[in-house]
Amino acid sequence: MPIIKSAIERAKTNVKANQRNSAQLSTMRTAVKRFEQAKTAGADNVEDLFRQASAAVDKAASKGLIKRNKASRDKSRMAARLAK
């Protein structure tokens, strides 16, 4: 455990940021999985789920949780799956 006050504060900040980032990443993954499952099941709200998943991927990329190329690749794959 750090002894210096600024290091203690930074450790607390890192824990909070880690929790926030983990939650955001989990939300993105859940949205993508929901889209994939709906597409596989042939649900009628696939386009809405695609929009939600695409927005979640964009948000994660803008926050720096995933790289821009990964976001583009994921969205491209989802779009191709939607069109299929």
Side-chain angles (χ1 to χ4, degrees):
M1 196 64 197
I3 297 171
I4 298 169
K5 184 178 179 184
S6 62
I8 293 169
E9 291 171 2
R10 192 66 203 159
K12 288 179 186 177
T13 303
N14 288 342
V15 169
K16 283 184 191 177
N18 189 358
Q19 289 173 345
R20 186 171 46 247
N21 291 341
S22 297
Q24 185 71 43
L25 207 53
S26 176
T27 302
M28 181 202 75
R29 289 180 181 142
T30 303
V32 171
K33 283 179 187 175
R34 279 193 188 138
F35 165 74
E36 293 291 335
Q37 289 171 351
K39 182 64 179 170
T40 302
D44 55 346
N45 63 341
V46 177
E47 284 141 13
D48 185 43
L49 290 172
F50 170 73
R51 271 189 244 106
Q52 289 175 358
S54 182
V57 168
D58 280 337
K59 189 170 185 181
S62 71
K63 301 290 182 187
L65 302 178
I66 60 174
K67 294 192 175 190
R68 291 279 180 193
N69 283 352
K70 177 174 168 43
S72 289
R73 184 175 65 240
D74 287 351
K75 286 172 58 177
S76 176
R77 286 179 179 169
M78 286 191 299
R81 181 105 198 265
L82 179 66
K84 202 171 192 184

